[in-house]
Amino acid sequence: ILGLVENMSFFACPNCNHKSHIFNPPSATGRNRLDELAEKLNVEVVARLPLNPAVCDSADTGKSLESLDSLSSEIYMALSRRIREKLNL
């Protein structure tokens, strides 16, 4: 296992960038179930992907993820870099 990726980790408001954790909100300690699983498996959380309808549109139309809003694009590019690092590529 290279690491865990949390899909639909949060929704970032397009107007104010506030992050809402809809499906797996963090507890008072700031940790959620994925953090607990990662600790149990002794692996890192390599990315927390946002819930973003534009990701689906990009995939359906063949557009690069780099064409997404800056937050989503940065997260996907960081995930790609992290996987390449783990694979020594």
Side-chain angles (χ1 to χ4, degrees):
I1 298 175
L2 296 175
L4 300 177
V5 175
E6 183 175 35
N7 192 24
M8 298 188 294
S9 178
F10 60 89
F11 174 76
C13 175
N15 297 316
C16 68
N17 288 325
H18 171 76
K19 292 181 181 178
S20 296
H21 299 272
I22 300 166
F23 299 111
N24 191 13
S27 68
T29 64
R31 294 167 45 90
N32 66 19
R33 292 185 304 269
L34 184 71
D35 297 311
E36 294 166 2
L37 179 61
E39 185 176 316
K40 180 179 175 181
L41 297 174
N42 195 32
V43 297
E44 75 174 289
V45 176
V46 293
R48 296 179 190 274
L49 306 177
L51 174 61
N52 184 342
V55 172
C56 185
D57 293 338
S58 292
D60 288 347
T61 59
K63 292 182 184 174
S64 167
L65 291 175
E66 292 175 330
S67 67
L68 297 172
D69 62 87
S70 60
L71 175 63
S72 295
S73 179
E74 288 171 21
I75 292 170
Y76 278 95
M77 295 304 112
L79 171 59
S80 174
R81 284 190 302 275
R82 190 67 188 120
I83 290 171
R84 286 192 314 268
E85 287 170 7
K86 287 185 157 288
L87 295 174
N88 296 315
L89 297 178

